[in-house]
Amino acid sequence: MARILVVDDEEGIRHVLKQVLEYEGHDVRTAAGGGEALTIYDSFSPDLTFLDVKMARMDGLEVLARIRDQDPDALVVMISGHGSIETAVEATRRGAYDFLEKPLDTDRILLTIRNALQQRGLYQEVSRLRDEVESRYEIVGASYAIRSVLERIERVGPTDARVLITGENGSGKELVARALHRVSPRADRPFVEVNCAAIPAELIESELFGHVKGAFTGAHADRTGRFEQADGGTLFLDEIGDMSLSAQAKVLRALQDGVVTRVGSERAIQVDVRVVAATNQDLEGLITRGRFRDDLYFRLNVVPIHVPPLRDRRDDIPMLVRHFTDRAIEEQRLPPRRLAPEAVDRLVRMDWPGNVRELRNTVERLLILSHGSEVNARDVERLVGGAQESALGADLMRVETFAEFKERAERAFILAKLREHDWNVSETARSLDMPRSNLYKKIERFNLVREEPPE
């Protein structure tokens, strides 16, 4: 069932259309003029509107323009007893979905409704998929460090300026590149990503610029390169520091002249591409060692954006944990649950050498492997594994006194040994060369508790 609005100053037309459409099971409202139609549209939010062209005081074309201003996705079918090509063209220019002439044919009306609603369903599905994709690539955080990055994205994104994104692996360089594309005038054009580190040096030129049939062994047909695929859009060159010098020279020419040449061809192909590059390496150091062209570096580094590591934006970790929890529950079809505050606090104190990517994977692991209605701190201790050694170092460096340092170090050491021996106190005491009674006292003193085994 669809919500349909019928706007016509002839009562007979309104009555007949309402009767036909309600018989088909639709929810129908009617309006006798443009002003009434706009008022009803705001509260009714119809899926489809039938709108008469010729009406007193406010004609249909003006109503159409106002509806489209109010709802850019509105589906409006214009109807007229005085149809002309000029009127139909003008209605289409203003965003009408279709144009029907009076007297109205019932079969044509029903076919138009079916096609229009099918298109609306496709629009909604595309919108849902777009929202899903954007949430996957959303930059999450409210810390000063990440707000500085977002501010720069907002300023440089709408331009065609080249951007060089730097940062550690897993810090979110791809998210920044996608955000730049999303806020640019090229947003509706392709976003093409190339991981320069993942492509063998002998194939990188073919990957970027394409090749013609017979250019090399295995080139059985012509192939377009990534520059051509990104024409009109954005080309994201990830790990640019791993690109060969010969490929760098061709990229430089593409940036300077806006042309590319396929491997094995002499024909120049014009391309309109915004290049965004990223690296986790020191490009200036590579230039000094002769492994990166300084002229390409200056071409790429028009606007630099540095993505901070997660350890420098710990305030964002609770927000990131909620974001990754919601995503994992939806994508992995997990039962609804959350991480307890003490578990989140434990994650905040860790070092995260793998940055946001490591945190995301850790949250998914905790949600999948832990038990109960929420993930607690003991689940983090038990399941995070290697990350807790990083956390231990961070915790120890954060203490104020030597006495506190010794206390925390001793507790962590004994806990690790107990785990190593599956909480067998006798075996643990023997490995530590410590009387068993002393070990029991330390277990009690440090309030050490064995984690619950998986169910």
Side-chain angles (χ1 to χ4, degrees), residues 247-361:
Q248 290 177 34
K250 287 195 173 184
V251 169
L252 180 64
R253 184 195 175 203
L255 298 182
Q256 289 173 331
D257 304 332
V259 297
V260 295
T261 304
R262 294 183 182 181
V263 176
S265 172
E266 296 181 356
R267 183 172 68 90
I269 301 171
Q270 197 79 26
V271 290
D272 171 25
V273 174
R274 182 191 193 177
V275 172
V276 175
T279 183
N280 65 349
Q281 300 188 57
D282 174 16
L283 292 187
E284 293 182 359
L286 294 180
I287 291 171
T288 302
R289 297 195 295 275
R291 291 172 48 195
F292 201 85
R293 297 179 62 113
D294 57 352
D295 47 3
L296 177 58
Y297 172 73
F298 293 123
R299 287 275 179 180
L300 294 172
N301 194 30
V302 176
V303 179
I305 295 181
H306 178 70
V307 186
L310 190 55
R311 62 181 174 275
D312 289 347
R313 43 178 292 222
R314 293 181 186 276
D315 292 349
D316 291 334
I317 290 179
M319 191 182 300
L320 285 162
V321 168
R322 288 194 298 272
H323 176 71
F324 292 141
T325 298
D326 292 342
R327 267 186 50 190
I329 287 172
E330 180 179 354
E331 294 174 4
Q332 306 292 342
R333 296 184 292 278
L334 300 171
R337 60 206 310 215
R338 68 184 190 99
L339 274 72
E342 62 271 16
V344 175
D345 184 61
R346 190 76 183 87
L347 296 176
V348 169
R349 298 200 309 272
M350 294 182 179
D351 269 354
W352 302 111
N355 291 295
V356 178
R357 183 183 299 138
E358 183 184 4
L359 175 62
R360 182 194 64 208
N361 294 341

Side-chain angles (χ1 to χ4, degrees), residues 89-137:
V89 169
E90 179 62 17
T92 303
R93 188 185 69 79
R94 296 196 186 195
Y97 170 75
D98 203 350
F99 188 93
L100 302 180
E101 291 187 66
K102 297 178 183 177
L104 299 173
D105 178 75
T106 301
D107 290 338
R108 175 72 190 278
I109 290 172
L110 297 180
L111 178 63
T112 299
I113 292 173
R114 184 165 65 248
N115 291 340
L117 295 180
Q118 184 178 32
Q119 179 168 319
R120 173 168 285 275
L122 292 174
Y123 280 156
Q124 291 172 342
E125 177 66 9
V126 168
S127 178
R128 183 190 68 78
L129 291 173
R130 184 182 293 115
D131 290 343
E132 184 178 312
V133 168
E134 294 208 356
S135 72
R136 182 182 296 273
Y137 295 111

Side-chain angles (χ1 to χ4, degrees), residues 60-309:
L61 292 178
E62 184 180 348
V63 177
L64 170 64
R66 294 197 185 187
I67 286 176
R68 294 284 296 178
D69 286 341
Q70 182 179 334
D71 178 10
D73 295 328
L75 287 176
V76 181
V77 176
M78 305 303 294
I79 53 178
S80 175
H82 311 281
S84 68
I85 293 176
E86 291 80 7
T87 305
V89 169
E90 179 62 17
T92 303
R93 188 185 69 79
R94 296 196 186 195
Y97 170 75
D98 203 350
F99 188 93
L100 302 180
E101 291 187 66
K102 297 178 183 177
L104 299 173
D105 178 75
T106 301
D107 290 338
R108 175 72 190 278
I109 290 172
L110 297 180
L111 178 63
T112 299
I113 292 173
R114 184 165 65 248
N115 291 340
L117 295 180
Q118 184 178 32
Q119 179 168 319
R120 173 168 285 275
L122 292 174
Y123 280 156
Q124 291 172 342
E125 177 66 9
V126 168
S127 178
R128 183 190 68 78
L129 291 173
R130 184 182 293 115
D131 290 343
E132 184 178 312
V133 168
E134 294 208 356
S135 72
R136 182 182 296 273
Y137 295 111
E138 181 182 358
I139 299 175
V140 176
S143 63
Y144 174 78
I146 209 65
R147 280 190 286 113
S148 298
V149 171
L150 292 171
E151 181 183 357
R152 184 157 290 198
I153 290 171
E154 288 177 4
R155 295 189 66 174
V156 72
T159 74
D160 261 348
R162 299 184 198 101
V163 179
L164 179 62
I165 307 167
T166 57
E168 298 177 4
N169 283 334
S171 58
K173 298 188 292 295
E174 180 191 351
L175 301 187
V176 172
R178 288 182 178 274
L180 287 166
H181 177 71
R182 195 160 55 239
V183 300
S184 76
R186 300 170 178 265
D188 293 332
R189 303 295 295 163
F191 176 88
V192 177
E193 179 183 0
V194 181
N195 187 337
C196 302
I199 302 171
E202 62 272 15
L203 296 179
I204 187 69
E205 292 183 38
S206 170
E207 188 74 21
L208 291 174
F209 309 110
H211 61 251
V212 296
K213 181 179 179 180
F216 51 83
T217 303
H220 301 300
D222 290 359
R223 183 178 185 274
T224 59
R226 298 303 181 90
F227 268 91
E228 289 180 72
Q229 294 169 19
D231 190 28
T234 301
L235 178 65
F236 176 44
L237 299 177
D238 197 10
E239 303 304 345
I240 188 77
D242 291 282
M243 184 180 290
S244 67
L245 288 170
S246 61
Q248 290 177 34
K250 287 195 173 184
V251 169
L252 180 64
R253 184 195 175 203
L255 298 182
Q256 289 173 331
D257 304 332
V259 297
V260 295
T261 304
R262 294 183 182 181
V263 176
S265 172
E266 296 181 356
R267 183 172 68 90
I269 301 171
Q270 197 79 26
V271 290
D272 171 25
V273 174
R274 182 191 193 177
V275 172
V276 175
T279 183
N280 65 349
Q281 300 188 57
D282 174 16
L283 292 187
E284 293 182 359
L286 294 180
I287 291 171
T288 302
R289 297 195 295 275
R291 291 172 48 195
F292 201 85
R293 297 179 62 113
D294 57 352
D295 47 3
L296 177 58
Y297 172 73
F298 293 123
R299 287 275 179 180
L300 294 172
N301 194 30
V302 176
V303 179
I305 295 181
H306 178 70
V307 186

